[in-house]
């Protein structure tokens, strides 16, 4: 299958899972969500390594916007998605594995290795959750709340993402 | 131009990121009332802070106008104050009289604001120059005061400027009295003794106390009665003398003089006319 088709199908499936299942997993505190599960960032994480930087950002934005439309939180996930797309190249460049990356792969477990992916997913999901919390709460006065929500959401989302990756174990 | 395009292309992902973030935050703010109110209150705080600081800078540029309007306002209030004081005193003196205060004696004093242009302290004959002259209705003999007391008396009048004989001039003398017991005296200056003046001609039987307030007597047409001048610093009674020598420390600081008020006594003309008439009668 071509790279495009794989990524489009993966994006659709992950978005469906996010919209139909994980959007309803939500613990709120004073009407502000406290713990949320995000699976859709995996779409951004698993884009091929050679995808142009601008394209990753735009795709992150569009993915987030779709989640926003179904969750009625315009701007929150689209901003976080664009942010995740923006930081992805820097994260990937910071953690080059021994021997470097292969030419044009998606950074999956089987394509690189489990340890690399665990670290990569942890960093990326933390940054993504931080962006979501920051845009959602929108008040620097509540910085402790932003950080707590980042950590809790990132932990649960991380567990879900890693389980998904191990269970389905996509090759590309 | 080529460099600019190269710069844009090189940082394209960053520009895309910024644009998309702006769109996202715009959406996030506009579609959520809580975020909207936070955004508005925060931006209001920031702009309010900036504006208040900007205001503290810009208001210095308007200090001149501000001062001018305040001085004229002060003059108007002083005018009213002096005249109302006179009226009150007149009514207190004649509690039964219904007519007192109804005629034009309410408007006995007229106050003109002015600025001190030059001021000297170094010679025996110190003068001030103020920026109000014949055009402002100033005439020789009018008193010049500040909020803290008398400054001097107008001696020469020009079209737009006046020369004022300062308190610190050996030729100036102002009729004054002790506020407590109405003991009359004359205030004069001893050369080079700034911030204090000497009050003479108070007879020895009068009891004085250090700290008593000295006010203008009102027995001249230069100053209204009861204007505070200073307080008694110390006094002595030299042997063989009949009068006290009282040293009075002034309330006002002539060094830092800037704005002043000229007092016109509208009774003066009438009174000079009547005294001339009396002189003629005596002859």
């Amino acid at each position: 299958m071509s790279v495009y088709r794989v990524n489009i199908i993966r994006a659709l499936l992950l978005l469906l899972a996010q919209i139909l299942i994980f959007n309803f997993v939500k613990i709120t505190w004073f009407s502000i969500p406290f713990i949320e599960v995000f699976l859709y960032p995996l779409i951004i994480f698993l884009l091929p390594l050679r995808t142009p930087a601008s394209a990753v950002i735009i795709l992150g934005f569009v993915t987030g916007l779709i989640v926003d439309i179904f969750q009625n939180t315009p701007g929150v996930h689209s901003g976080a998605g664009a942010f995740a797309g923006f930081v992805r190249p820097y994260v990937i460049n910071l953690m080059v594995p021994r021997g470097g990356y292969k030419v044009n792969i998606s950074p999956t477990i089987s394509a690189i290795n489990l340890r690399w992916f665990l670290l990569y997913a942890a960093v990326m999901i933390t940054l993504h959750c931080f962006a979501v919390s920051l845009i959602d709460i929108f008040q620097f006065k509540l910085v402790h709340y932003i950080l707590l929500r980042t950590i809790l959401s990132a932990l649960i989302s991380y567990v879900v993402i890693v389980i998904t990756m191990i269970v389905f174990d996509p090759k590309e | 131009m080529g460099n600019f395009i190269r710069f844009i292309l090189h940082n394209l992902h960053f520009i895309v990121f910024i644009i998309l973030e702006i769109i996202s935050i715009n959406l996030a703010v506009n579609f959520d009332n809580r975020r909207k109110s936070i955004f508005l209150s925060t931006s209001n705080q920031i702009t309010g802070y900036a504006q208040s600081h900007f205001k503290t800078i810009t208001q210095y540029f308007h200090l001149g106008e501000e001062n001018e309007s305040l001085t004229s306002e002060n003059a108007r209030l002083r005018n009213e104050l002096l005249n109302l004081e006179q009226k009150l005193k007149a009514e207190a003196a004649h509690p039964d009289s219904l007519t007192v205060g109804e005629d034009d004696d309410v408007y006995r004093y007229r106050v003109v604001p002015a600025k001190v242009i030059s001021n000297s302290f170094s010679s025996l004959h110190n003068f001030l120059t103020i920026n109000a002259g014949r055009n402002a209705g100033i005439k020789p003999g009018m008193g010049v005061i500040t909020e803290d007391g008398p400054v001097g008396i107008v001696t020469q009048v020009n079209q737009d400027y006046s020369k004022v004989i300062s308190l610190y001039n050996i030729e100036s003398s102002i009729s004054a009295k002790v506020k407590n017991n109405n003991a009359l005296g004359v205030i004069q200056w001893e050369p080079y003794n700034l911030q204090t003046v000497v009050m003479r001609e108070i007879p020895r039987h009068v009891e004085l106390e250090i700290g008593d307030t000295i006010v203008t007597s009102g027995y001249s047409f230069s100053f209204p009665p009861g204007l505070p001048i200073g307080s008694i610093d110390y006094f002595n009674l030299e042997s063989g003398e009949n009068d006290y020598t009282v040293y009075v420390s002034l309330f006002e600081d002539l060094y830092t003089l800037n704005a002043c008020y000229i007092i016109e006594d509208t009774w003066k003309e009438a009174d000079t006319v009547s005294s001339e008439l009396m002189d003629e009668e005596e002859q």
Side-chain angles (χ1 to χ4, degrees), chain A residues 18 22-38 71 77 129 132-133 136-137 145-158 160:
Chain A
Q18 176 73 44
F22 295 110
N23 270 3
F24 299 101
V25 183
K26 196 175 281 184
I27 298 165
T28 59
W29 178 72
F30 289 118
S31 85
I32 306 173
F34 200 67
I35 296 174
E36 284 175 295
V37 184
F38 304 126
Q71 229 182 355
H77 293 285
C129 287
V132 170
S133 310
D136 197 9
I137 291 159
Y145 177 75
I146 293 175
L147 292 178
L148 188 64
R149 185 179 163 189
T150 303
I151 291 165
L152 292 177
S153 294
L155 259 179
I156 294 177
S157 305
Y158 182 61
V160 172

Side-chain angles (χ1 to χ4, degrees), chain A residues 5-33:
Chain A
R5 204 180 292 166
V6 167
N7 277 286
I8 287 169
I9 291 169
R10 177 159 60 216
L12 287 176
L13 288 174
L14 287 173
L15 278 174
L16 273 178
Q18 176 73 44
I19 290 161
L20 295 180
I21 302 165
F22 295 110
N23 270 3
F24 299 101
V25 183
K26 196 175 281 184
I27 298 165
T28 59
W29 178 72
F30 289 118
S31 85
I32 306 173

Side-chain angles (χ1 to χ4, degrees), chain A residues 57 61 74-75 79 90 136-137, chain B residues 13 21 24 28-29 31 34-35:
Chain A
I57 297 167
F61 177 81
Y90 300 102
D136 197 9
I137 291 159
Chain B
H13 69 290
E21 284 301 326
S24 300
V29 168
F31 283 87
R34 183 183 64 84
R35 256 174 251 138

